Amino acid sequence: MSKPITAVWPGRPNPRGASWDGEGVNFALFSEHAEKVELCIFDPKGRREVQRIELKERSDLIWHCYLPEARPGLLYGYRVHGPYRPQEGHRFNPHKLLIEPYAKDIVGTPNWSDAHFGYRIGSKHADLSFDRRDNAIGMPKCRVIDQAFTWGNDKPPCIPWHDMVIYEMHVKGFTMQHPDVPAQFRGTYAGLSMEPPIEHLKRLGVTTVELMPVHAFLDDRHLVERGLRNYWGYNSIGFMAPDSRYSASGHVSEFKTMVKTLHSAGMEVILDVVYNHTAEGNHLGPTLSFRGIDNSSYYRLVEDDRRYYMDYTGCGNTLDMRHPRVLQLLMDSLRYWVQEMHVDGFRFDLASALARELHEVDRLGTFFDTISQDPVLGTVKLIAEPWDLGEGGYQVGNFPIGWAEWNDRYRDNIRAYWKGDGGQIGELAQRLTGSSDLYERSGRRPHASINFISAHDGFTLHDLVSYNDKHNEINQENNRDGSDNNNSWNCGVEGETDDPEINALRARQKRNFLATLLFSQGVPMLVAGDEMGRTQHGNNNAYCQDNEISWLAWNLKPQDQDLLEFTRYIISLRKAHPLLRRRYFFHGRPIRGGEVKDIVWLNPEGFEMSESDWAQAFSRCLGVYFAGDTLLETDDRGRVLTDDNLLMLINAHHEDIAFTLPEFDGHYYWDVLLDTINATGTPEIVRYKAGQGYPVGGRSLVVMKQALIP
């Protein structure tokens, strides 16, 4: 603003935030316990506060005004006056410039100093003291935007759950080293919108891109001071604003262009969202937004000493979903990203924390009830990380109908099985067929299980077969961070090696993991780079590594190119066979009035598994026959689906096993579709007769289809 704003009108309490209507800007901020609210206007570079405007209107605890002279591009923040009594939960401090919770654009990052804290650091009584230093010069600023955007004929791809292949990626890490993305666009929304990255996703067979957090977030002070960054972004401070560090243009419209481009390529966009906590941390954290606007309303506080925070997240605080205005903020945020940004769904970080009505996790919590009846949110993809760090927080299998869940029981079992642990085949059968033990009783379908072998948190697929132990020293936490329970196996040598036999085994293990994932019922989720052998050199908690450790490398070695081709092939097999992506659970019952069941579990002799077979702790080889000539399912147009009868042979033993090929409905032959012994998975065209023994290699997986003609 070149001139001071002179006209201040009462404005409206709705909508929340700064809203440009074509003539002026309405400002509305919730604070239940504030005594005075000031809107602070800054120069175009955000370095100088040029004006303060008191919001004198207050309606239903919403402070508001209208500035007919304001325009998009205006930089602003708030100062909120009120009591500073931490023991009662109040931490108002008007010396601290605050980010507005409904800001649609947040410019800059904090220049960390003691001035960002509401108390005097190092004082005798810590957070009970009061700091009068002004922090505005080092604070990010909110920016008014014009939300207009030409979406044209953009519409959601609406991929059916059972057809989805999710690809979890980091916006920056995916293109930061891509040789075919111009340098100025690498690591940005614009870079992800370009043809080479999108072509990689299309050729791979991805249907759904799941973006790690893009809500505006902060780098923790302790990381910045050690030369690190909060790379993953699970440290939100603005639930409406796309993080500007991923923007080449500096405009919110760049994110919209990315979504529109991915939609045009036939792919959905799901956001990983962090609504369980904020970047302000515990009682010793900075005062940046919610804490200074109305601490006792926004956060869960310890009832008998409201100086402290309930921490179900391990991040210092937990948002109070019991408060109607907090619940409204989250719902408004979700609707904004669907309606204004056109995203197709959400993955909720530590979702159990959102369900805590009192102390316990309530599966029918207000948050989930509100979403289920919402006409906008009830139609998008909803995925829960079904745990938090509080008591009773592990809730895998307990989320409501309409929700899918990250299934860590799938991850743990598949890892343990291919590592060679005994006693796994009983649970393996459950995980391969969609985890009906977790989801069917509540009326959910196989797609409720989001199956994954690896995720952003933990070892990459390559490291899973290359390291027994984590190697996180570079995180500067003395290797104490990250999980010690990885179910990994280094195949004989810790870390990289030139031993050709070990490298061959590792390559085969990676193929085994990927094939198991893509041929399991449920929704498969790949992590960006696993299809190309990406390594973090044994770091299983690279949250603070904004560098080559986390970024994808695109200069592929021959074995990485082979793995990429293998992944493309098995995804194409999954798409070609409806039997591998059923909408309903198997039940092991005869079909078509005959004797053949929809699924049959087989021992190496080619006979149906007996009770004693299942009970053998040493058993590591299993066959499964899928009857697919009539699926008893229909597609979205009502057409009856048919498929080949398929046979999967799985051998986690270190030695070859001669598996007797079964005979069903007469004398059939078997064509090999996949054998992970081969580097790219595609075998020579070979036909085997029923009753013949097939040599299933040590630590390998085979898929065959049944043929009538010899």
Side-chain angles (χ1 to χ4, degrees), residues 480-709:
R480 293 191 300 266
D481 63 304
S483 175
D484 293 314
N485 182 25
N486 296 292
N487 269 326
S488 61
W489 177 47
N490 63 19
C491 298
V493 173
E494 187 74 355
E496 298 305 312
T497 179
D498 294 328
D499 188 312
E501 291 187 5
I502 290 177
N503 284 330
L505 175 57
R506 288 175 176 177
R508 189 160 72 252
Q509 285 287 76
K510 285 187 278 187
R511 295 193 292 270
N512 291 335
F513 278 121
L514 289 169
T516 305
L517 176 66
L518 269 300
F519 299 153
S520 296
Q521 302 296 324
V523 179
M525 184 184 78
L526 294 164
V527 181
D530 274 358
E531 76 279 16
M532 301 183 293
R534 186 175 78 88
T535 178
Q536 294 176 170
H537 308 293
N539 192 327
N540 74 348
N541 189 36
Y543 79 102
C544 56
Q545 300 298 328
D546 187 1
N547 49 50
E548 290 84 354
I549 290 174
S550 297
W551 304 338
L552 268 67
W554 294 89
N555 53 333
L556 303 186
K557 301 174 183 177
Q559 61 268 30
D560 300 329
Q561 186 64 47
D562 285 344
L563 184 62
L564 176 58
E565 294 301 327
F566 173 84
T567 309
R568 289 170 176 164
Y569 176 64
I570 59 174
I571 292 177
S572 71
L573 282 182
R574 179 182 176 87
K575 292 187 173 184
H577 292 281
L579 191 58
L580 298 175
R581 42 191 173 83
R582 285 168 53 103
R583 293 187 295 137
Y584 300 95
F585 289 106
F586 290 103
H587 290 107
R589 294 194 291 261
I591 58 175
R592 306 181 309 281
E595 297 182 357
V596 179
K597 301 176 183 178
D598 57 0
I599 186 170
V600 182
W601 300 97
L602 303 166
N603 61 26
E605 288 73 39
F607 298 114
E608 187 168 0
M609 291 278 287
S610 65
E611 291 292 334
S612 61
D613 289 332
W614 288 111
Q616 291 176 354
F618 61 83
S619 180
R620 289 167 176 79
C621 186
L622 184 67
V624 54
Y625 171 84
F626 304 107
D629 51 347
T630 300
L631 287 175
L632 302 182
E633 294 186 18
T634 57
D635 65 11
D636 56 1
R637 297 183 180 181
R639 295 172 297 191
V640 176
L641 294 173
T642 61
D643 197 1
D644 299 299
N645 299 328
L646 299 179
L647 178 67
M648 188 188 307
L649 309 177
I650 314 172
N651 179 21
H653 189 51
H654 63 275
E655 295 180 347
D656 294 359
I657 292 180
F659 205 106
T660 302
L661 301 179
E663 176 184 321
F664 290 105
D665 287 350
H667 298 285
Y668 285 87
Y669 292 79
W670 294 97
D671 291 339
V672 181
L673 298 178
L674 173 84
D675 192 330
T676 60
I677 289 291
N678 301 303
T680 58
T682 53
E684 297 180 3
I685 303 300
V686 179
R687 179 158 289 177
Y688 291 83
K689 188 175 182 180
Q692 186 175 352
Y694 183 87
V696 182
R699 305 191 196 282
S700 70
L701 182 150
V702 177
V703 176
M704 301 179 172
K705 71 174 182 179
Q706 210 165 24
L708 291 171
I709 304 172

Side-chain angles (χ1 to χ4, degrees), residues 71 131 146 187 250 265 275 299 316 343 346 381 385 388 440 446 454 460 468 530 553 594 620 636 660 670 695:
R71 295 293 181 268
D131 187 277
D146 183 349
Y275 292 120
Y299 291 117
V343 304
F346 305 94
K381 305 285 177 59
E385 182 183 37
D388 64 19
E440 188 173 26
S454 55
T460 66
N468 284 349
D530 274 358
R620 289 167 176 79
D636 56 1
T660 302
W670 294 97

